């Protein structure tokens, strides 16, 4: 059975910890992430479910991947994480379902399984890619991936290595869900470096 976790409170607490560990005020985090102070406060209090785009902006401001931010918010994982125990998060805006496949560890590598509903689109800021190398592998359906000004149409079996950091969009223009895996290699996380 799939475990969909209510992660809003856990994420909010983790975001607060990451902010305080850096000695940042709410205003400073809001400025670095290019979002409102009120939104940061709501997310930290667990009063607002962050969208994928918002998580991308916050993790980018911290110099972390979304995977690392989410895994730091969760606890109790070992080296083996069975399918039923893998944390699942649903974007409240698009219905995008994100499953953290790889265990939380200090390895610089993550595997994420994504289901993008029919007609859904998720935008991600360039800051979310500033310290990563990524590969997208489509398992089912068709993914429209826009990387800066380049549009890629990916079908089942296709695999794409992402280029330099750019504003990106993941879209599903079909009538069926699109399922894909993202393999992420962190290059210099946790240093607060943005480009």
């Amino acid at each position: 059975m799939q475990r969909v976790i209510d992660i809003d409170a856990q994420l909010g607490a983790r975001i607060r910890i990451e902010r305080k560990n850096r000695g940042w005020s709410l205003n400073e985090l809001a400025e670095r992430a290019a979002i409102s102070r009120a939104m940061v406060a709501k997310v930290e209090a667990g009063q607002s479910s962050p969208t994928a785009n918002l998580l991308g902006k916050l993790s980018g401001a911290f110099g972390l991947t979304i995977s690392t931010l989410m895994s730091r918010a969760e606890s109790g994982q070992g080296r083996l994480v069975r399918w039923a125990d893998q944390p699942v998060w649903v974007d409240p805006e698009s219905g995008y379902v994100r499953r953290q496949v790889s265990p939380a560890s200090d390895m610089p590598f993550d595997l994420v399984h994504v289901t993008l509903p029919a007609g859904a689109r998720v935008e991600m800021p360039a800051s979310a890619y500033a310290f990563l190398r990524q590969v997208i592998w489509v398992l089912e359906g068709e993914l429209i991936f826009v990387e800066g000004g380049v549009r890629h149409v990916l079908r089942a079996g296709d695999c794409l290595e992402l280029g330099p950091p750019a504003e990106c969009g993941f879209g599903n223009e079909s009538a069926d869900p699109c399922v894909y895996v993202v393999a992420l290699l962190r290059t210099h996380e946790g240093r607060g470096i943005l480009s």
Side-chain angles (χ1 to χ4, degrees):
M1 179 176 172
Q2 175 174 298
R3 180 177 70 113
V4 178
I5 54 176
D6 177 13
I7 196 168
D8 292 344
Q10 291 172 292
L11 267 173
R14 186 71 231 177
I15 289 165
R16 185 179 317 103
I17 288 167
E18 295 292 339
R19 175 178 62 80
K20 288 186 174 186
N21 284 348
R22 289 163 175 76
W24 297 350
S25 66
L26 282 171
N27 287 337
E28 190 169 0
L29 175 55
E31 185 177 308
R32 288 173 181 261
I35 59 177
S36 74
R37 181 190 186 284
M39 181 53 72
V40 173
K42 281 183 176 182
V43 169
E44 282 192 2
Q47 298 170 344
S48 179
S49 184
T51 64
N53 184 269
L54 183 63
L55 280 177
K57 289 179 178 183
L58 289 166
S59 63
F62 291 135
L64 301 172
T65 65
I66 293 175
S67 295
T68 299
L69 184 62
M70 292 184 78
S71 68
R72 286 181 180 180
E74 300 150 359
S75 60
Q77 289 188 0
R79 291 185 307 140
L80 171 64
V81 183
R82 303 209 182 270
W83 179 261
D85 297 324
Q86 293 169 356
V88 175
W89 174 76
V90 180
D91 178 17
E93 189 173 83
S94 65
Y96 153 108
V97 179
R98 181 189 189 284
R99 172 183 293 275
Q100 180 68 33
V101 176
S102 52
S105 75
D106 60 356
M107 287 180 50
F109 178 77
D110 283 310
L111 282 177
V112 178
H113 181 275
V114 178
T115 302
L116 190 61
R121 182 161 180 80
V122 175
E123 302 290 333
M124 296 299 286
S127 62
Y129 302 99
F131 41 84
L132 299 175
R133 300 289 308 272
Q134 292 189 60
V135 174
I136 300 169
W137 178 31
V138 177
L139 302 178
E140 298 174 23
E142 183 177 277
L143 177 67
I144 306 299
F145 179 70
V146 178
E147 181 180 32
V150 180
R151 177 182 162 99
H152 304 278
V153 179
L154 305 172
R155 294 180 181 85
D158 292 349
C159 189
L160 172 70
E161 177 185 358
L162 275 64
E167 301 290 318
C168 293
F170 296 80
N172 181 356
E173 298 174 358
S174 76
D176 298 310
C178 176
V179 179
Y180 57 96
V181 171
V182 180
L184 305 101
L185 177 65
R186 296 182 294 274
T187 55
H188 58 267
E189 212 174 26
R191 303 191 200 324
I193 297 170
L194 297 176
S195 54

